[in-house]
Amino acid sequence: MFADSVDSDIAPSGTLLGLLQRGRGDGTLHALAAPRAEALAALSHCLRCDPRRDWRLEHRSLYYARLHVELDAGLDDIEEHLFGPDDLTDTGEERTGLALSVLGHLTSYGDSRALLLLRRYAARGANWRWALDELAVRDDDAGLRPLGPAVLARFPHTPEGDAELAAAVRDAFEPRPWRLWAEDPTRPEQGERLGRAREQGSFGRWRRQMRPAGPRPGWSVRAVLDWAQEGDRILSADPVGGPLSADPAGSAVPGASPSRDPLHREAAAARCLAAVAGPDDRPELLDAARSGPDIARAVALRHLAERGDPAALDLIEAAVAEQAPSTPASVPFGTAARAALEALARMRGAAALERARRWARREDALGTAAAALLACHGTERDAPLVLAALRRAVCAEGPDCDGLRPLVDGAGRLAVHRAAPLLRHVYRETASSQLRGRAARALAATDPAFAAGFAIECLWDCEESTREIAARHAATGDTRVVERLRRLAADPAEEEGVQSAVRGRLDSDGAAAR
């Protein structure tokens, strides 16, 4: 059951562990039917080793919390994970964030021990900010106030410690605990210190507002392009990222701080060009997009594409053509080729669609990007091209390749019924719960069997949007569906969008209402 899949930390999709790691509804259903010890071991593995491809975007905490309640799992494993020796050395929030979020949901379900664990970790743990945010929306004032001294003790009474405290107060996701501690009448010295920290944070915010880094009158197209390219030079000169407090002498754009990532300057510079570039600047922009330095060229390409310049399509094709055809797929695109593909995705209009129809037949990155444009903005006539690109992507790179999302969306938007087998494969195999949700939405539009098949499983999915799709489509002839809809409607932790869909379904469907 715990065999790893090839080249991945995610187990095969046919195993209990693989289903739970993916957050699939079948994971919950299989766990409840499996031997309890096996189900508990798989759940513990997921909480200790967060399986999400992008933990900032994908959801698992409510999914695992619900299964935790169903299995009556206890909290010993979570406690061991949170307070183990690794907490002293691996202080990244991704190590413990999932377990803390699960504790937060368990607290909402009335688990008093989960609440005590959160309080204890907020006082002692490395990822205390996450625990404090969970408590801020779930704990009462009497439980939060005693945490103040322990949290403030993390910040020494030194200028550095005071600065860190001011930043923590200013950046707090949930300000309620800090406000309670500042107003605690039994600890006046605590309130005084937090008052000073709040003033320091307000002063810092005022100072940043007085020195904005946005576009200013007098900037020229050349100055913006030079500033963008300068970001690449800064990164090359200091690749490890030492502290930089100000622009080096001679910065082309006053008031702008250097970026550690030239891509950040690329996006900022493109926004600046929107403010300063006029019709007379087109020759200079065309020249930069044709033969300028890497980052400046990327900025110019992006600007011209966003404005639908007639020359943009030829410039995009030329930039992609510079990537050697023999370059292995594992080698990243050069800056110009990457920027050209991203610029194409920003284009609209009849000319861009017609050129995309020609390019979409190519079996290279430009062909995939063109097919993605057609998937997002094409018409029914483009369905065969989108289907062919989807088939190439899945067969060549698997169900988790980067370019699948727009193609999957396009298959659903264009109702490409012949894409249903591919979409079912992506749904089963992808490790991304976000992509699986997109596949489910596309299947709802292309697969007549979806309502009586995957839609039922989706009622237990980890993603809110996927559960909402299921609530709207799942066939109520299966007795599990009606019972699950009623449980979702009564669950205080369920999202409003899902509950709204569920209530509408229960009210309108006669079979469900009975």
Side-chain angles (χ1 to χ4, degrees), residues 290-325:
R290 189 177 296 113
S291 57
D294 284 349
I295 302 300
R297 185 179 184 185
V299 173
L301 275 171
R302 175 170 171 168
H303 176 81
L304 293 170
E306 286 179 343
R307 275 140 195 83
D309 190 282
L313 292 166
D314 290 334
L315 291 169
I316 288 170
E317 187 171 20
V320 174
E322 293 176 10
Q323 187 86 3

PDB file of all heavy atoms in Angstrom, residues 290-325:
ATOM      1  N   ARG A 290      13.031  42.836 -30.709  1.00  0.00           N
ATOM      2  CA  ARG A 290      13.674  42.064 -31.775  1.00  0.00           C
ATOM      3  C   ARG A 290      15.085  41.630 -31.389  1.00  0.00           C
ATOM      4  O   ARG A 290      15.483  40.493 -31.649  1.00  0.00           O
ATOM      5  CB  ARG A 290      13.706  42.898 -33.053  1.00  0.00           C
ATOM      6  CG  ARG A 290      14.138  42.153 -34.290  1.00  0.00           C
ATOM      7  CD  ARG A 290      14.054  43.058 -35.500  1.00  0.00           C
ATOM      8  NE  ARG A 290      12.680  43.477 -35.773  1.00  0.00           N
ATOM      9  CZ  ARG A 290      12.244  44.739 -35.648  1.00  0.00           C
ATOM     10  NH1 ARG A 290      13.060  45.690 -35.251  1.00  0.00           N
ATOM     11  NH2 ARG A 290      10.988  45.027 -35.917  1.00  0.00           N
ATOM     12  N   SER A 291      15.836  42.511 -30.747  1.00  0.00           N
ATOM     13  CA  SER A 291      17.252  42.210 -30.528  1.00  0.00           C
ATOM     14  C   SER A 291      17.816  42.801 -29.249  1.00  0.00           C
ATOM     15  O   SER A 291      19.032  42.904 -29.113  1.00  0.00           O
ATOM     16  CB  SER A 291      18.071  42.723 -31.718  1.00  0.00           C
ATOM     17  OG  SER A 291      17.864  44.124 -31.897  1.00  0.00           O
ATOM     18  N   GLY A 292      16.976  43.175 -28.296  1.00  0.00           N
ATOM     19  CA  GLY A 292      17.480  43.762 -27.068  1.00  0.00           C
ATOM     20  C   GLY A 292      18.035  42.720 -26.113  1.00  0.00           C
ATOM     21  O   GLY A 292      17.935  41.512 -26.354  1.00  0.00           O
ATOM     22  N   PRO A 293      18.626  43.165 -25.002  1.00  0.00           N
ATOM     23  CA  PRO A 293      19.079  42.219 -23.971  1.00  0.00           C
ATOM     24  C   PRO A 293      17.903  41.408 -23.422  1.00  0.00           C
ATOM     25  O   PRO A 293      16.747  41.815 -23.545  1.00  0.00           O
ATOM     26  CB  PRO A 293      19.684  43.141 -22.896  1.00  0.00           C
ATOM     27  CG  PRO A 293      19.918  44.440 -23.569  1.00  0.00           C
ATOM     28  CD  PRO A 293      18.896  44.561 -24.645  1.00  0.00           C
ATOM     29  N   ASP A 294      18.217  40.278 -22.796  1.00  0.00           N
ATOM     30  CA  ASP A 294      17.192  39.293 -22.451  1.00  0.00           C
ATOM     31  C   ASP A 294      15.977  39.873 -21.738  1.00  0.00           C
ATOM     32  O   ASP A 294      14.846  39.757 -22.210  1.00  0.00           O
ATOM     33  CB  ASP A 294      17.808  38.188 -21.588  1.00  0.00           C
ATOM     34  CG  ASP A 294      18.631  37.224 -22.428  1.00  0.00           C
ATOM     35  OD1 ASP A 294      18.533  37.299 -23.655  1.00  0.00           O
ATOM     36  OD2 ASP A 294      19.361  36.418 -21.844  1.00  0.00           O
ATOM     37  N   ILE A 295      16.201  40.474 -20.552  1.00  0.00           N
ATOM     38  CA  ILE A 295      15.056  40.937 -19.753  1.00  0.00           C
ATOM     39  C   ILE A 295      14.360  42.097 -20.433  1.00  0.00           C
ATOM     40  O   ILE A 295      13.121  42.158 -20.481  1.00  0.00           O
ATOM     41  CB  ILE A 295      15.516  41.314 -18.335  1.00  0.00           C
ATOM     42  CG1 ILE A 295      16.179  40.120 -17.654  1.00  0.00           C
ATOM     43  CG2 ILE A 295      14.328  41.780 -17.503  1.00  0.00           C
ATOM     44  CD1 ILE A 295      15.298  38.916 -17.497  1.00  0.00           C
ATOM     45  N   ALA A 296      15.110  43.037 -20.978  1.00  0.00           N
ATOM     46  CA  ALA A 296      14.498  44.159 -21.686  1.00  0.00           C
ATOM     47  C   ALA A 296      13.672  43.657 -22.876  1.00  0.00           C
ATOM     48  O   ALA A 296      12.588  44.164 -23.165  1.00  0.00           O
ATOM     49  CB  ALA A 296      15.573  45.127 -22.153  1.00  0.00           C
ATOM     50  N   ARG A 297      14.187  42.644 -23.555  1.00  0.00           N
ATOM     51  CA  ARG A 297      13.454  42.070 -24.683  1.00  0.00           C
ATOM     52  C   ARG A 297      12.154  41.433 -24.210  1.00  0.00           C
ATOM     53  O   ARG A 297      11.100  41.588 -24.849  1.00  0.00           O
ATOM     54  CB  ARG A 297      14.330  41.032 -25.383  1.00  0.00           C
ATOM     55  CG  ARG A 297      13.722  40.459 -26.644  1.00  0.00           C
ATOM     56  CD  ARG A 297      14.668  39.464 -27.285  1.00  0.00           C
ATOM     57  NE  ARG A 297      14.156  38.964 -28.548  1.00  0.00           N
ATOM     58  CZ  ARG A 297      14.735  38.022 -29.268  1.00  0.00           C
ATOM     59  NH1 ARG A 297      15.865  37.470 -28.851  1.00  0.00           N
ATOM     60  NH2 ARG A 297      14.195  37.623 -30.414  1.00  0.00           N
ATOM     61  N   ALA A 298      12.206  40.734 -23.096  1.00  0.00           N
ATOM     62  CA  ALA A 298      11.000  40.113 -22.552  1.00  0.00           C
ATOM     63  C   ALA A 298       9.956  41.162 -22.185  1.00  0.00           C
ATOM     64  O   ALA A 298       8.759  40.993 -22.442  1.00  0.00           O
ATOM     65  CB  ALA A 298      11.360  39.272 -21.329  1.00  0.00           C
ATOM     66  N   VAL A 299      10.405  42.272 -21.596  1.00  0.00           N
ATOM     67  CA  VAL A 299       9.481  43.345 -21.217  1.00  0.00           C
ATOM     68  C   VAL A 299       8.823  43.942 -22.449  1.00  0.00           C
ATOM     69  O   VAL A 299       7.598  44.163 -22.486  1.00  0.00           O
ATOM     70  CB  VAL A 299      10.229  44.428 -20.422  1.00  0.00           C
ATOM     71  CG1 VAL A 299       9.332  45.639 -20.175  1.00  0.00           C
ATOM     72  CG2 VAL A 299      10.720  43.866 -19.089  1.00  0.00           C
ATOM     73  N   ALA A 300       9.619  44.202 -23.475  1.00  0.00           N
ATOM     74  CA  ALA A 300       9.064  44.794 -24.692  1.00  0.00           C
ATOM     75  C   ALA A 300       8.087  43.839 -25.373  1.00  0.00           C
ATOM     76  O   ALA A 300       7.021  44.254 -25.849  1.00  0.00           O
ATOM     77  CB  ALA A 300      10.204  45.172 -25.636  1.00  0.00           C
ATOM     78  N   LEU A 301       8.421  42.548 -25.434  1.00  0.00           N
ATOM     79  CA  LEU A 301       7.513  41.571 -26.023  1.00  0.00           C
ATOM     80  C   LEU A 301       6.178  41.544 -25.286  1.00  0.00           C
ATOM     81  O   LEU A 301       5.106  41.521 -25.899  1.00  0.00           O
ATOM     82  CB  LEU A 301       8.149  40.179 -25.979  1.00  0.00           C
ATOM     83  CG  LEU A 301       9.099  39.796 -27.110  1.00  0.00           C
ATOM     84  CD1 LEU A 301       9.803  38.489 -26.780  1.00  0.00           C
ATOM     85  CD2 LEU A 301       8.336  39.674 -28.426  1.00  0.00           C
ATOM     86  N   ARG A 302       6.270  41.527 -23.975  1.00  0.00           N
ATOM     87  CA  ARG A 302       5.039  41.486 -23.179  1.00  0.00           C
ATOM     88  C   ARG A 302       4.188  42.725 -23.428  1.00  0.00           C
ATOM     89  O   ARG A 302       2.969  42.627 -23.603  1.00  0.00           O
ATOM     90  CB  ARG A 302       5.403  41.370 -21.696  1.00  0.00           C
ATOM     91  CG  ARG A 302       4.231  41.446 -20.752  1.00  0.00           C
ATOM     92  CD  ARG A 302       4.661  41.081 -19.350  1.00  0.00           C
ATOM     93  NE  ARG A 302       3.609  41.340 -18.367  1.00  0.00           N
ATOM     94  CZ  ARG A 302       3.635  40.897 -17.118  1.00  0.00           C
ATOM     95  NH1 ARG A 302       4.653  40.174 -16.701  1.00  0.00           N
ATOM     96  NH2 ARG A 302       2.648  41.159 -16.288  1.00  0.00           N
ATOM     97  N   HIS A 303       4.822  43.884 -23.464  1.00  0.00           N
ATOM     98  CA  HIS A 303       4.083  45.129 -23.669  1.00  0.00           C
ATOM     99  C   HIS A 303       3.395  45.132 -25.037  1.00  0.00           C
ATOM    100  O   HIS A 303       2.204  45.474 -25.142  1.00  0.00           O
ATOM    101  CB  HIS A 303       5.042  46.318 -23.547  1.00  0.00           C
ATOM    102  CG  HIS A 303       4.394  47.637 -23.826  1.00  0.00           C
ATOM    103  ND1 HIS A 303       3.651  48.312 -22.875  1.00  0.00           N
ATOM    104  CD2 HIS A 303       4.367  48.407 -24.950  1.00  0.00           C
ATOM    105  CE1 HIS A 303       3.191  49.439 -23.408  1.00  0.00           C
ATOM    106  NE2 HIS A 303       3.611  49.524 -24.657  1.00  0.00           N
ATOM    107  N   LEU A 304       4.116  44.765 -26.078  1.00  0.00           N
ATOM    108  CA  LEU A 304       3.544  44.778 -27.424  1.00  0.00           C
ATOM    109  C   LEU A 304       2.413  43.760 -27.558  1.00  0.00           C
ATOM    110  O   LEU A 304       1.389  44.031 -28.198  1.00  0.00           O
ATOM    111  CB  LEU A 304       4.642  44.490 -28.443  1.00  0.00           C
ATOM    112  CG  LEU A 304       5.722  45.576 -28.580  1.00  0.00           C
ATOM    113  CD1 LEU A 304       6.873  45.065 -29.425  1.00  0.00           C
ATOM    114  CD2 LEU A 304       5.135  46.852 -29.173  1.00  0.00           C
ATOM    115  N   ALA A 305       2.593  42.575 -26.945  1.00  0.00           N
ATOM    116  CA  ALA A 305       1.548  41.556 -27.031  1.00  0.00           C
ATOM    117  C   ALA A 305       0.288  41.987 -26.308  1.00  0.00           C
ATOM    118  O   ALA A 305      -0.835  41.769 -26.801  1.00  0.00           O
ATOM    119  CB  ALA A 305       2.070  40.244 -26.456  1.00  0.00           C
ATOM    120  N   GLU A 306       0.437  42.582 -25.151  1.00  0.00           N
ATOM    121  CA  GLU A 306      -0.740  43.000 -24.387  1.00  0.00           C
ATOM    122  C   GLU A 306      -1.554  44.048 -25.137  1.00  0.00           C
ATOM    123  O   GLU A 306      -2.756  44.176 -24.913  1.00  0.00           O
ATOM    124  CB  GLU A 306      -0.309  43.543 -23.026  1.00  0.00           C
ATOM    125  CG  GLU A 306       0.132  42.460 -22.051  1.00  0.00           C
ATOM    126  CD  GLU A 306       0.582  43.032 -20.726  1.00  0.00           C
ATOM    127  OE1 GLU A 306       0.862  44.250 -20.665  1.00  0.00           O
ATOM    128  OE2 GLU A 306       0.657  42.262 -19.745  1.00  0.00           O
ATOM    129  N   ARG A 307      -0.896  44.807 -26.004  1.00  0.00           N
ATOM    130  CA  ARG A 307      -1.593  45.846 -26.760  1.00  0.00           C
ATOM    131  C   ARG A 307      -1.959  45.405 -28.166  1.00  0.00           C
ATOM    132  O   ARG A 307      -2.434  46.200 -28.978  1.00  0.00           O
ATOM    133  CB  ARG A 307      -0.729  47.111 -26.797  1.00  0.00           C
ATOM    134  CG  ARG A 307      -0.969  47.941 -25.555  1.00  0.00           C
ATOM    135  CD  ARG A 307       0.289  48.556 -25.004  1.00  0.00           C
ATOM    136  NE  ARG A 307      -0.012  49.010 -23.645  1.00  0.00           N
ATOM    137  CZ  ARG A 307       0.014  48.187 -22.573  1.00  0.00           C
ATOM    138  NH1 ARG A 307       0.316  46.916 -22.709  1.00  0.00           N
ATOM    139  NH2 ARG A 307      -0.297  48.654 -21.377  1.00  0.00           N
ATOM    140  N   GLY A 308      -1.740  44.117 -28.461  1.00  0.00           N
ATOM    141  CA  GLY A 308      -2.133  43.597 -29.764  1.00  0.00           C
ATOM    142  C   GLY A 308      -1.413  44.240 -30.924  1.00  0.00           C
ATOM    143  O   GLY A 308      -1.998  44.415 -32.004  1.00  0.00           O
ATOM    144  N   ASP A 309      -0.156  44.604 -30.735  1.00  0.00           N
ATOM    145  CA  ASP A 309       0.613  45.239 -31.814  1.00  0.00           C
ATOM    146  C   ASP A 309       0.688  44.287 -33.013  1.00  0.00           C
ATOM    147  O   ASP A 309       0.927  43.081 -32.856  1.00  0.00           O
ATOM    148  CB  ASP A 309       2.017  45.579 -31.317  1.00  0.00           C
ATOM    149  CG  ASP A 309       2.772  46.442 -32.303  1.00  0.00           C
ATOM    150  OD1 ASP A 309       3.270  45.892 -33.306  1.00  0.00           O
ATOM    151  OD2 ASP A 309       2.854  47.660 -32.079  1.00  0.00           O
ATOM    152  N   PRO A 310       0.520  44.796 -34.235  1.00  0.00           N
ATOM    153  CA  PRO A 310       0.543  43.911 -35.408  1.00  0.00           C
ATOM    154  C   PRO A 310       1.845  43.141 -35.590  1.00  0.00           C
ATOM    155  O   PRO A 310       1.842  42.053 -36.180  1.00  0.00           O
ATOM    156  CB  PRO A 310       0.331  44.886 -36.579  1.00  0.00           C
ATOM    157  CG  PRO A 310      -0.328  46.079 -35.976  1.00  0.00           C
ATOM    158  CD  PRO A 310       0.194  46.186 -34.584  1.00  0.00           C
ATOM    159  N   ALA A 311       2.949  43.672 -35.072  1.00  0.00           N
ATOM    160  CA  ALA A 311       4.233  42.990 -35.227  1.00  0.00           C
ATOM    161  C   ALA A 311       4.495  41.954 -34.150  1.00  0.00           C
ATOM    162  O   ALA A 311       5.471  41.197 -34.243  1.00  0.00           O
ATOM    163  CB  ALA A 311       5.365  44.021 -35.240  1.00  0.00           C
ATOM    164  N   ALA A 312       3.665  41.909 -33.123  1.00  0.00           N
ATOM    165  CA  ALA A 312       3.956  41.059 -31.967  1.00  0.00           C
ATOM    166  C   ALA A 312       4.021  39.578 -32.342  1.00  0.00           C
ATOM    167  O   ALA A 312       4.885  38.843 -31.859  1.00  0.00           O
ATOM    168  CB  ALA A 312       2.917  41.286 -30.875  1.00  0.00           C
ATOM    169  N   LEU A 313       3.139  39.123 -33.210  1.00  0.00           N
ATOM    170  CA  LEU A 313       3.100  37.693 -33.540  1.00  0.00           C
ATOM    171  C   LEU A 313       4.366  37.245 -34.258  1.00  0.00           C
ATOM    172  O   LEU A 313       4.915  36.177 -33.972  1.00  0.00           O
ATOM    173  CB  LEU A 313       1.867  37.401 -34.382  1.00  0.00           C
ATOM    174  CG  LEU A 313       0.527  37.549 -33.637  1.00  0.00           C
ATOM    175  CD1 LEU A 313      -0.632  37.576 -34.617  1.00  0.00           C
ATOM    176  CD2 LEU A 313       0.357  36.420 -32.637  1.00  0.00           C
ATOM    177  N   ASP A 314       4.854  38.053 -35.188  1.00  0.00           N
ATOM    178  CA  ASP A 314       6.104  37.702 -35.869  1.00  0.00           C
ATOM    179  C   ASP A 314       7.276  37.718 -34.895  1.00  0.00           C
ATOM    180  O   ASP A 314       8.175  36.869 -34.976  1.00  0.00           O
ATOM    181  CB  ASP A 314       6.367  38.672 -37.020  1.00  0.00           C
ATOM    182  CG  ASP A 314       5.384  38.482 -38.165  1.00  0.00           C
ATOM    183  OD1 ASP A 314       4.861  37.360 -38.318  1.00  0.00           O
ATOM    184  OD2 ASP A 314       5.125  39.457 -38.898  1.00  0.00           O
ATOM    185  N   LEU A 315       7.290  38.660 -33.979  1.00  0.00           N
ATOM    186  CA  LEU A 315       8.362  38.733 -32.983  1.00  0.00           C
ATOM    187  C   LEU A 315       8.332  37.511 -32.067  1.00  0.00           C
ATOM    188  O   LEU A 315       9.375  36.980 -31.685  1.00  0.00           O
ATOM    189  CB  LEU A 315       8.229  40.020 -32.172  1.00  0.00           C
ATOM    190  CG  LEU A 315       8.515  41.320 -32.930  1.00  0.00           C
ATOM    191  CD1 LEU A 315       8.088  42.528 -32.101  1.00  0.00           C
ATOM    192  CD2 LEU A 315       9.998  41.419 -33.287  1.00  0.00           C
ATOM    193  N   ILE A 316       7.139  37.073 -31.707  1.00  0.00           N
ATOM    194  CA  ILE A 316       7.007  35.878 -30.866  1.00  0.00           C
ATOM    195  C   ILE A 316       7.553  34.653 -31.589  1.00  0.00           C
ATOM    196  O   ILE A 316       8.322  33.863 -31.029  1.00  0.00           O
ATOM    197  CB  ILE A 316       5.529  35.684 -30.467  1.00  0.00           C
ATOM    198  CG1 ILE A 316       5.105  36.748 -29.442  1.00  0.00           C
ATOM    199  CG2 ILE A 316       5.292  34.280 -29.909  1.00  0.00           C
ATOM    200  CD1 ILE A 316       3.609  36.773 -29.173  1.00  0.00           C
ATOM    201  N   GLU A 317       7.179  34.502 -32.838  1.00  0.00           N
ATOM    202  CA  GLU A 317       7.648  33.342 -33.609  1.00  0.00           C
ATOM    203  C   GLU A 317       9.162  33.356 -33.758  1.00  0.00           C
ATOM    204  O   GLU A 317       9.829  32.315 -33.630  1.00  0.00           O
ATOM    205  CB  GLU A 317       6.976  33.321 -34.972  1.00  0.00           C
ATOM    206  CG  GLU A 317       7.264  32.062 -35.766  1.00  0.00           C
ATOM    207  CD  GLU A 317       6.414  31.961 -37.011  1.00  0.00           C
ATOM    208  OE1 GLU A 317       5.895  33.008 -37.473  1.00  0.00           O
ATOM    209  OE2 GLU A 317       6.255  30.835 -37.524  1.00  0.00           O
ATOM    210  N   ALA A 318       9.722  34.532 -33.980  1.00  0.00           N
ATOM    211  CA  ALA A 318      11.169  34.629 -34.134  1.00  0.00           C
ATOM    212  C   ALA A 318      11.893  34.306 -32.837  1.00  0.00           C
ATOM    213  O   ALA A 318      12.935  33.637 -32.836  1.00  0.00           O
ATOM    214  CB  ALA A 318      11.538  36.040 -34.604  1.00  0.00           C
ATOM    215  N   ALA A 319      11.349  34.771 -31.706  1.00  0.00           N
ATOM    216  CA  ALA A 319      11.995  34.506 -30.416  1.00  0.00           C
ATOM    217  C   ALA A 319      11.981  33.022 -30.082  1.00  0.00           C
ATOM    218  O   ALA A 319      12.966  32.471 -29.577  1.00  0.00           O
ATOM    219  CB  ALA A 319      11.304  35.306 -29.315  1.00  0.00           C
ATOM    220  N   VAL A 320      10.874  32.348 -30.363  1.00  0.00           N
ATOM    221  CA  VAL A 320      10.797  30.914 -30.082  1.00  0.00           C
ATOM    222  C   VAL A 320      11.726  30.138 -31.017  1.00  0.00           C
ATOM    223  O   VAL A 320      12.342  29.145 -30.618  1.00  0.00           O
ATOM    224  CB  VAL A 320       9.345  30.407 -30.215  1.00  0.00           C
ATOM    225  CG1 VAL A 320       9.283  28.903 -30.074  1.00  0.00           C
ATOM    226  CG2 VAL A 320       8.462  31.073 -29.168  1.00  0.00           C
ATOM    227  N   ALA A 321      11.845  30.595 -32.239  1.00  0.00           N
ATOM    228  CA  ALA A 321      12.689  29.898 -33.212  1.00  0.00           C
ATOM    229  C   ALA A 321      14.159  29.921 -32.810  1.00  0.00           C
ATOM    230  O   ALA A 321      14.940  29.070 -33.245  1.00  0.00           O
ATOM    231  CB  ALA A 321      12.523  30.526 -34.594  1.00  0.00           C
ATOM    232  N   GLU A 322      14.553  30.863 -31.965  1.00  0.00           N
ATOM    233  CA  GLU A 322      15.939  30.933 -31.533  1.00  0.00           C
ATOM    234  C   GLU A 322      16.307  29.791 -30.597  1.00  0.00           C
ATOM    235  O   GLU A 322      17.490  29.501 -30.409  1.00  0.00           O
ATOM    236  CB  GLU A 322      16.205  32.270 -30.837  1.00  0.00           C
ATOM    237  CG  GLU A 322      16.105  33.458 -31.782  1.00  0.00           C
ATOM    238  CD  GLU A 322      16.284  34.774 -31.054  1.00  0.00           C
ATOM    239  OE1 GLU A 322      16.671  34.741 -29.861  1.00  0.00           O
ATOM    240  OE2 GLU A 322      16.043  35.830 -31.666  1.00  0.00           O
ATOM    241  N   GLN A 323      15.306  29.168 -29.982  1.00  0.00           N
ATOM    242  CA  GLN A 323      15.582  28.008 -29.143  1.00  0.00           C
ATOM    243  C   GLN A 323      15.936  26.835 -30.048  1.00  0.00           C
ATOM    244  O   GLN A 323      15.149  26.453 -30.913  1.00  0.00           O
ATOM    245  CB  GLN A 323      14.355  27.647 -28.286  1.00  0.00           C
ATOM    246  CG  GLN A 323      14.587  26.562 -27.269  1.00  0.00           C
ATOM    247  CD  GLN A 323      15.147  27.108 -25.962  1.00  0.00           C
ATOM    248  OE1 GLN A 323      15.305  28.307 -25.822  1.00  0.00           O
ATOM    249  NE2 GLN A 323      15.440  26.235 -25.023  1.00  0.00           N
ATOM    250  N   ALA A 324      17.112  26.289 -29.876  1.00  0.00           N
ATOM    251  CA  ALA A 324      17.578  25.233 -30.776  1.00  0.00           C
ATOM    252  C   ALA A 324      16.607  24.060 -30.781  1.00  0.00           C
ATOM    253  O   ALA A 324      16.202  23.578 -29.720  1.00  0.00           O
ATOM    254  CB  ALA A 324      18.964  24.759 -30.354  1.00  0.00           C
ATOM    255  N   PRO A 325      16.230  23.556 -31.958  1.00  0.00           N
ATOM    256  CA  PRO A 325      15.292  22.426 -32.017  1.00  0.00           C
ATOM    257  C   PRO A 325      15.807  21.183 -31.306  1.00  0.00           C
ATOM    258  O   PRO A 325      15.030  20.360 -30.837  1.00  0.00           O
ATOM    259  CB  PRO A 325      15.139  22.180 -33.521  1.00  0.00           C
ATOM    260  CG  PRO A 325      15.554  23.464 -34.184  1.00  0.00           C
ATOM    261  CD  PRO A 325      16.603  24.056 -33.295  1.00  0.00           C
TER     262      PRO A 325
END
